Amino acid sequence: MTTDEMWRLPLRTDAVATALAGSRWRPEVLASSPSTNAVVADRARAGESPGLLVVTDHQTAGRGRLDRTWVTPAGVALTFSMLVAPGDVPVARWPWLPLLAGVAVAHAVRRAAGVDARLKWPNDVLVDDAKTTGILVERVEGPRHASAVIGIGVNVLQTRDELPVDTATSLAVAAGRPVDRVALLAAIADELGRGYDDWCAAAGDAGASGLLATYTGLCATVGLQVRVELPRDEVLIGEATGIDEDGRLLVAGPSGAVALGAGDVVHVRRSLPPA
């Protein structure tokens, strides 16, 4: 067995359970799954309590934002979903959950891989300006309360040739060495749990909890000239000047400042000056 094959061995239930022992998370390991978000959402609808974490070695039909497909080869990615129920947080503040998850992953990537991770608004995790991570948060109605499923997919061990597009990278490519998927999972679970607790304690107030300042400091989009593709084929070009208290991207356009929610935006790209 080569060194590369050893790193790509299937995730072991006992190793994952040991890594998350003492945390709030109840891990379950699946050899393969069409979508961990779908698995956790179904369990939430059936009354599963918060803290469930489902991780798979091979996701075959996952979804990202805007219904993009997220498929991971076996043994190279970290793909999992977590169940939370922020019942004391007003629903109007739930849109901060995807951004909170992005902050947690960025911090965990720095810890586990030793590379500089930044965020492209709203929650793509970048290393060297290339995407490593996709995050999808879905609200689910259960028999007793509403819950949120936080789905995270990280490119971990892919080689350059295994990446789907030129704008993607993996932690192994960025770090120049293999990265332990179980250690990364434990780091993300720890960072997300602590950030989630702080956010809930502040009733979802991102300013009071420190989330707004932390997110803004990690956001690579702020300060750039961006091209925003809006629904109905509209385009906005301007400078991304900040993030507001609702997690919206502030863009200074030709007609003044515009606050954009994730649901209002098709895509945000860096706007290059004309040649």
Side-chain angles (χ1 to χ4, degrees):
M1 181 181 295
T2 66
T3 301
D4 185 61
E5 288 171 333
M6 290 178 61
W7 281 102
R8 296 179 180 219
L9 287 173
L11 294 168
R12 297 196 337 263
T13 299
D14 60 339
V16 171
T18 298
L20 297 180
S23 74
R24 78 185 65 210
W25 307 110
R26 304 186 307 279
E28 297 182 11
V29 179
L30 305 178
S32 178
S33 173
S35 166
T36 57
N37 259 36
V39 171
V40 174
D42 285 345
R43 297 274 290 276
R45 294 185 188 100
E48 184 76 42
S49 59
L52 176 66
L53 186 157
V54 175
V55 58
T56 185
D57 250 322
H58 185 201
Q59 182 161 270
T60 59
R63 291 181 298 111
R65 289 185 60 245
L66 307 177
D67 284 329
R68 298 188 182 102
T69 301
W70 183 280
V71 177
T72 57
V76 299
L78 180 62
T79 308
F80 62 102
S81 298
M82 314 162 87
L83 185 64
V84 298
D88 294 332
V89 175
V91 173
R93 291 174 173 169
W94 283 38
W96 268 103
L97 275 171
L99 283 69
L100 185 157
V103 167
V105 174
H107 283 160
V109 164
R110 292 181 176 199
R111 280 172 53 182
V115 295
D116 183 28
R118 304 292 303 281
L119 296 170
K120 175 186 172 184
W121 183 87
N123 57 13
D124 285 348
V125 181
L126 309 179
V127 176
D128 298 329
D129 286 331
K131 182 175 177 177
T132 65
T133 305
I135 297 170
L136 177 66
V137 177
E138 299 179 282
R139 179 185 169 93
V140 179
E141 296 294 336
R144 295 183 301 276
H145 53 70
S147 300
V149 180
I150 303 173
I152 298 172
V154 189
N155 294 331
V156 183
L157 295 171
Q158 290 95 325
T159 64
R160 174 61 63 189
D161 291 341
E162 290 173 323
L163 293 165
V165 292
D166 292 340
T167 54
T169 191
S170 72
L171 300 186
V173 168
R177 61 175 177 81
V179 174
D180 188 322
R181 290 186 294 158
V182 175
L184 177 62
L185 175 62
I188 295 173
D190 176 57
E191 293 282 354
L192 197 149
R194 288 191 286 114
Y196 175 77
D197 283 346
D198 290 344
W199 179 72
C200 287
D205 186 327
S209 67
L211 177 57
L212 175 57
T214 301
Y215 179 90
T216 302
L218 287 169
C219 187
T221 308
V222 175
L224 293 180
Q225 288 289 319
V226 296
R227 173 187 174 90
V228 183
E229 297 177 15
L230 301 167
R232 298 179 299 277
D233 296 325
E234 297 178 21
V235 174
L236 170 65
I237 296 176
E239 181 184 355
T241 59
I243 308 297
D244 74 5
E245 61 183 12
D246 295 318
R248 297 178 299 179
L249 181 67
L250 302 176
V251 177
S255 301
V258 180
L260 300 168
D264 302 324
V265 174
V266 176
H267 201 78
V268 176
R269 296 186 178 93
R270 183 177 301 190
S271 179
L272 299 176

